[in-house]
Structures are given as C-alpha cells and as structure tokens.
C-alpha cells in the first residue's frame, strides 16, 4: 500500500518547524520542466556527502562476525531438548559448546 503525502498549503504549529521556517520556504515556486531536466541526483551533486552518508548507514547494526553461526534444522530426542531448555536462557549456546567438546573442537 502506497501512502502519498498531502501537500500542506498553510502553516501548522507543532510539526517540527517554526512559522519563520514556513515563511522562508512557502513562497518557492514549483520547478519548471527545464529546471527538473537539469536537476542531478543527490549522489552526483554532492558525492562527498553521499559517500559519508552511505558509510554511516553501513556502519549501523551489529558488527559482522568472522565465523557466524549457521541456522540448522535438526531432529533431537525430546528429553535432550528438555534438559538443555531447563538450564535457562542461552541453552542453545550451551548445547553448541557440548557438541564442540564432544567433537574435540
């Protein structure tokens, strides 16, 4: 579903800008077809700023691991699962540790 923003035609207080801000930009005429044709994408007009923004966005979130865990579907006996779940939060990690120990890794 696409929600199209409605164009505001008059100042509305409490929307994150002042009356002075509104007055400064509200009298701008719409761009002509020629002006639109000459317009450049942000990335072309401001390459340095665009690169910094892209790096900042890419740096968000959890850092990548050298050896990430992989999801796996496996069938185990119910009593094994109950045993590890009964040990509380982090039971999957403890099960992983036990498997590493059994494998000699």
């Amino acid at each position: 579903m696409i929600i199209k923003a409605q164009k505001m035609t008059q100042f509305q207080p409490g929307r994150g800008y002042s009356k002075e801000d509104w007055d400064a930009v509200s009298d701008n005429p719409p761009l002509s077809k020629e002006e639109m044709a000459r317009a450049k994408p942000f990335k072309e007009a401001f390459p340095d700023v665009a690169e910094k923004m892209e790096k900042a966005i890419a740096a968000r979130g959890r850092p990548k691991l050298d050896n990430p865990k992989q999801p796996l579907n496996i069938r185990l006996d119910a009593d094994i699962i109950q045993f590890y779940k009964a040990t509380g939060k982090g039971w999957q990690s403890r099960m992983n540790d036990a498997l590493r120990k059994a494998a000699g890794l």
Side-chain angles (χ1 to χ4, degrees):
M1 180 169 121
I2 298 174
I3 299 174
K4 193 170 184 177
Q6 295 179 359
K7 184 176 180 181
M8 294 182 358
T9 57
Q10 59 186 352
F11 174 71
Q12 295 177 2
R15 301 201 41 127
Y17 50 85
S18 68
K19 175 78 167 111
E20 292 78 26
D21 292 337
W22 176 263
D23 292 339
V25 297
S26 64
D27 59 351
N28 288 345
L31 295 175
S32 67
K33 288 183 180 180
E34 294 81 23
E35 290 171 319
M36 289 294 289
R38 287 193 319 258
K40 294 181 183 178
F42 181 83
K43 211 173 197 177
E44 286 181 28
F46 306 101
D48 296 340
V49 176
E51 184 180 347
K52 287 180 183 177
M53 289 172 63
E54 287 175 359
K55 285 181 180 178
I57 290 170
R60 292 184 195 169
R62 182 179 287 187
K64 300 292 182 202
L65 299 174
D66 292 334
N67 188 17
K69 293 186 178 178
Q70 298 180 0
L72 172 71
N73 288 335
I74 186 170
R75 297 171 61 90
L76 298 171
D77 294 336
D79 57 343
I80 296 292
I81 297 170
Q82 288 173 355
F83 172 81
Y84 279 98
K85 280 187 175 183
T87 63
K89 188 175 180 179
W91 66 271
Q92 295 98 330
S93 295
R94 284 188 290 281
M95 184 181 280
N96 185 69
D97 294 343
L99 287 168
R100 288 185 70 78
K101 186 177 178 181
L105 299 175

